[in-house]
Amino acid sequence: MKTYLIQKYGDQSAVRAAELPDPEPGADEVLVKIHAASVNPLDFKIRDGDFKLILPYRLPLVLGNDFAGVVVRVGSAVTRFSVGDEVYARPGKDRIGTFAELIVVHQNDLAHKPATLTMTEAASLPLVALTSWQALVERARVQPGQKVLIHAGSGGVGTIALQLARHLGAHVATTASAANAALVKELGADIVIDYRAQDFEELVEGYDIVLDTLGGKTLEKSLRVLKPGGKVIGIAGPPDPDFARELGANPVLTQVMNALSFKTRLHAKRRGVSYSFLFMKADGDQLRELARLVDAGAIRPVVDRVFPFEQTREAMEYAEKGRAKAGKVVIAMV
């Protein structure tokens, strides 16, 4: 099968096309012909080696973290899927590799794709939709009437999180460029803050939840717009001790994560709020719930541009340099 992979960690020049043997599914696994895959910031971080201590991949490594496609073979213990099913997924963190013609996925990580979407639309969803669900539903447990701030509302995660927060009945604020103000309002934002001209810390206060997709100074300021008992859920770091425990990290790595997030957690504690780091997990059941929301019209994907498979490197470069105006960049194999 054709793939795009890295043989060593590095910058964009490390990504190359290569042929690999077709994978074989195990008893609980499904072999899928990939029709489309999306580009995520996680792809760049893995390529650069930023996660090599947390996710010790064996090289060479096929890149890509979510997809949509058609089942071509099922293992002997698979009960939920049949040959010909249209599916979508974020593979388990140890089983990535969606910039390829084929992939093997555990049946628990897979779901039937939303019936109302094309393959390219469906491929844009798994990673960002699961991130949004696990942040807002699973961890924050957003309730109707709560105030939620979502940073970078026109980004991949932001476009889905806005819609999900609105569906959950929250009052939603977001940061975005003036050019994307109309889009994020349409997606569910009640308040739009132009991050180029305005300081969100001066405009919002007393919030229950902040979904921080940016980290750094944005994370520091986000702690200050929460009401007592409020939560910042960050996907841009720093990782925290709870994440180390989830990984089953060794004592040294646990100590490193503790140190990286110590200052942030201390500031949060002093303000009577909390900070937690979220690294999204594969989950077929949650994808089924999200597919129902999509088919009911509560969530729709936002796709900026679709590249053909042979332009995977260009698609990654386009996304990494921030050329996308809103939403996701997708690679079409078929």
Side-chain angles (χ1 to χ4, degrees):
M1 65 174 180
K2 295 177 181 177
T3 71
Y4 278 85
L5 53 71
I6 56 170
Q7 291 184 308
K8 61 180 181 179
Y9 293 115
D11 58 18
Q12 186 61 20
S13 64
V15 181
R16 69 178 189 87
E19 291 270 353
L20 290 179
D22 292 355
E24 294 288 333
D28 293 305
E29 296 173 333
V30 176
L31 179 66
V32 179
K33 179 178 176 59
I34 298 175
H35 283 227
S38 81
V39 180
N40 296 281
L42 181 58
D43 300 316
F44 317 135
K45 293 178 181 179
I46 291 173
R47 179 204 66 200
D48 293 347
D50 290 354
F51 287 136
K52 61 186 175 184
L53 293 179
I54 299 172
L55 303 172
Y57 290 115
R58 182 181 299 175
L59 301 176
L61 174 68
V62 179
L63 297 174
N65 282 276
D66 55 6
F67 72 92
V70 174
V71 174
V72 293
R73 199 183 315 165
V74 298
S76 58
V78 172
T79 57
R80 293 178 171 178
F81 303 96
S82 303
V83 172
D85 286 353
E86 295 186 340
V87 293
Y88 77 146
R90 187 280 201 255
K93 61 179 172 47
D94 300 323
R95 308 288 296 276
I96 70 167
T98 65
F99 296 167
E101 293 180 309
L102 295 165
I103 192 169
V104 164
V105 185
H106 195 283
Q107 64 173 335
N108 292 345
D109 299 336
L110 198 62
H112 291 95
K113 83 167 185 63
T116 55
L117 299 185
T118 65
M119 285 289 185
T120 53
E121 290 171 333
S124 74
L125 283 176
L127 190 144
V128 296
L130 285 171
T131 299
S132 301
W133 182 277
Q134 290 167 22
L136 300 178
V137 176
E138 195 172 58
R139 189 166 297 187
R141 299 184 180 181
V142 171
Q143 300 298 312
Q146 285 190 313
K147 295 165 69 175
V148 177
L149 170 61
I150 295 168
H151 286 296
S154 63
V157 171
T159 53
I160 305 304
L162 284 175
Q163 296 174 79
L164 182 57
R166 175 176 63 181
H167 172 74
L168 295 170
H171 171 89
V172 188
T174 193
T175 55
S177 68
N180 283 323
L183 171 66
V184 295
K185 283 182 179 178
E186 181 186 343
L187 295 176
D190 299 291
I191 297 173
V192 181
I193 301 159
D194 180 355
Y195 70 89
R196 289 175 177 154
Q198 299 172 301
D199 185 345
F200 74 89
E201 187 184 4
E202 298 176 356
L203 298 173
V204 297
E205 62 180 355
Y207 271 61
D208 297 279
I209 307 294
V210 178
L211 176 54
D212 173 39
T213 61
L214 301 172
K217 293 288 187 184
T218 299
L219 172 56
E220 291 178 25
K221 290 182 176 183
S222 293
L223 295 171
R224 298 195 287 265
V225 304
L226 291 171
K227 72 179 188 182
K231 302 175 183 178
V232 172
I233 298 166
I235 63 172
D240 60 11
D242 286 341
F243 176 56
R245 283 190 285 272
E246 286 176 26
L247 281 178
N250 62 50
V252 174
L253 186 55
T254 299
Q255 199 169 27
V256 169
M257 292 189 189
N258 182 55
L260 286 172
S261 60
F262 177 77
K263 183 178 177 181
T264 300
R265 289 183 290 112
L266 180 61
H267 286 174
K269 185 177 181 180
R270 286 174 174 169
R271 300 191 67 84
V273 300
S274 66
Y275 163 76
S276 64
F277 174 72
L278 174 68
F279 190 89
M280 179 273 310
K281 305 180 191 72
D283 193 308
D285 289 337
Q286 291 177 2
L287 284 176
R288 278 183 278 281
E289 291 295 327
L290 286 157
R292 282 192 275 272
L293 291 180
V294 170
D295 287 337
I299 294 175
R300 66 176 176 86
V302 178
V303 175
D304 176 86
R305 184 172 170 184
V306 180
F307 286 79
F309 188 35
E310 59 270 19
Q311 292 182 15
T312 293
R313 283 167 54 98
E314 290 85 347
M316 291 183 68
E317 183 178 9
Y318 177 88
E320 187 173 17
K321 290 187 175 179
R323 294 175 183 164
K325 294 179 177 65
K328 296 294 293 293
V329 175
V330 177
I331 298 162
M333 285 68 168
V334 177

